[in-house]
Amino acid sequence: MASHAPDGSSERSCNAPILASSVATNATVSGKIGEETLESLMSGDGFVGNVHDACPDYAGKRGREKGQLIFDAAFESGNLGRVDVISAFEYDLFIRPDTCSEKYQLWFYFSVRNARKDQRVIFNIVNFSKTKSLYHDGMTPVVWSTSRPKWVRLPSQSVFYYRCPDHNFHYVMSFAFMFDAEDDLYKFAYCFPYTYSELQHYLARLGRMKLDFFKRDLIGSSVQKRRVDMITISNPENLRPNREVKMKTVVITGRVHPGETPASFVCRGLIEFLISDDPQAKKLRRHVIFHITARSWALT
């Protein structure tokens, strides 16, 4: 996307890109999730390849003067592999592919700090792999900041999704943003994040409820050595191995690719209904066995 300098002239001279640094692997997270800690959960390659504390320079400007944005994605579910500076107010951003799926590049989640109040920028996510996207139909990225603690969508008039000749006609999503608070930390994401830690906290909470119709089983581990759980919801008499009546069984998966976070929220809402005291939920538990595989909920 060509940008324009304050004098109206076009400028598209890329400086040296900021590449993901191995220092990202040194990021630490703490806090218990049941018997495990976030630090151990993230001890695989969860942070490898993400930019960490990256402050690209432009037009010979070095250091960290106010207004020189600092990018970071070395946190859980973060994804930003490279930053190219196009101008003082435009950045090309490259996202990493899904783990073990080099063809899929969709999810992004990164933070920005060190902005000036009312500073305007354009961010271009330049290497999407999908040709069809809800960004075509009005969906927009979400933003969180220190002074706006709830995720909100960017206005649709500030978001553009198009094929870009500067990037081999790959699809690019560009969005304009004005930083409204100088000392805030800002986070941007493809959609509302739902992390592995959130999933583990949620499942642990359900386990502490001691529901006789709820069962959690560990059925394997992911490539990054994270739990793969299966949730079973049904009346306890339906789960006896020697039951005489065959029961209807429903198998549900909530998410396959990292960018499909809405499915995680839908799956959670479904579980909340199935374990509730609603008469329809009770009837379903009497007549149906629900298996919900949590492997797909939060793999980023």
Side-chain angles (χ1 to χ4, degrees):
M1 178 176 178
S3 60
H4 296 275
D7 62 2
S9 60
S10 177
E11 54 183 6
R12 181 73 198 188
S13 57
C14 288
N15 286 268
I18 294 292
L19 298 175
S21 168
S22 60
V23 71
T25 60
N26 295 327
T28 59
V29 190
S30 62
K32 285 193 173 182
I33 303 178
E35 297 178 356
E36 299 170 293
T37 63
L38 276 178
E39 187 172 4
S40 66
L41 294 172
M42 299 305 296
S43 63
D45 64 347
F47 293 146
V48 173
N50 278 326
V51 297
H52 175 59
D53 203 30
C55 184
D57 63 280
Y58 174 73
K61 291 184 178 180
R62 297 185 180 274
R64 300 194 171 192
E65 299 176 3
K66 208 64 175 174
Q68 289 184 265
L69 302 184
I70 300 173
F71 294 82
D72 203 324
F75 50 81
E76 189 178 12
S77 282
N79 186 6
L80 181 63
R82 172 178 151 191
V83 180
D84 286 3
V85 186
I86 306 307
S87 73
F89 52 90
E90 184 173 6
Y91 299 80
D92 279 356
L93 309 179
F94 295 78
I95 53 180
R96 297 181 298 111
D98 292 2
T99 302
C100 299
S101 298
E102 294 297 318
K103 293 182 180 180
Y104 294 100
Q105 295 157 183
L106 183 70
W107 175 255
F108 64 85
Y109 184 15
F110 61 92
S111 70
V112 177
R113 68 182 193 277
N114 202 42
R116 297 190 309 271
K117 180 176 172 56
D118 297 331
Q119 181 177 350
R120 299 172 185 268
V121 295
I122 297 172
F123 292 138
N124 307 310
I125 311 291
V126 301
N127 61 331
F128 278 121
S129 60
K130 290 187 69 174
T131 56
K132 295 181 180 180
S133 172
L134 288 176
Y135 285 141
H136 275 311
D137 300 312
M139 188 180 91
T140 63
V142 294
V143 61
W144 174 99
S145 69
T146 310
S147 58
R148 57 164 75 74
K150 291 186 177 180
W151 289 94
V152 296
R153 290 199 179 276
L154 297 175
S156 57
Q157 62 267 29
S158 300
V159 181
F160 308 90
Y161 193 73
Y162 57 96
R163 286 187 182 273
C164 181
D166 290 336
H167 295 283
N168 297 321
F169 291 95
H170 289 160
Y171 275 91
V172 170
M173 192 273 293
S174 298
F175 62 93
F177 187 77
M178 184 177 74
F179 297 97
D180 48 8
E182 188 159 293
D183 296 322
D184 271 13
L185 173 72
Y186 295 82
K187 291 185 176 182
F188 301 92
Y190 175 84
C191 196
F192 302 100
Y194 191 98
T195 66
Y196 175 80
S197 298
E198 289 180 78
L199 171 62
Q200 296 304 309
H201 280 299
Y202 177 63
L203 295 182
R205 179 172 66 83
L206 293 181
R208 291 192 296 271
M209 294 171 69
K210 305 296 184 182
L211 303 171
D212 61 358
F213 49 77
F214 173 89
K215 188 171 70 164
R216 175 187 181 185
D217 294 304
L218 178 65
I219 59 175
S221 300
S222 72
V223 173
Q224 296 175 337
K225 307 302 181 184
R226 300 174 192 172
R227 290 182 61 101
V228 178
D229 290 296
M230 184 171 69
I231 308 307
T232 303
I233 299 174
S234 192
N235 280 5
E237 59 268 21
N238 298 338
L239 304 180
R240 294 197 306 265
N242 58 347
R243 66 180 184 274
E244 296 180 1
V245 180
K246 290 186 178 180
M247 302 297 301
K248 291 183 178 179
T249 300
V250 176
V251 178
I252 300 166
T253 61
R255 180 172 166 187
V256 176
H257 300 293
E260 297 165 355
T261 57
S264 293
F265 292 101
V266 171
C267 212
R268 181 164 174 164
L270 174 64
I271 292 176
E272 288 293 312
F273 170 73
L274 289 176
I275 66 173
S276 73
D277 291 329
D278 186 282
Q280 293 298 321
K282 292 180 178 179
K283 185 176 181 179
L284 286 170
R285 293 198 299 266
R286 285 197 302 269
H287 297 287
V288 181
I289 299 174
F290 291 90
H291 293 300
I292 304 172
T293 173
R295 68 172 180 82
S296 306
W297 285 28
L299 298 186
T300 49

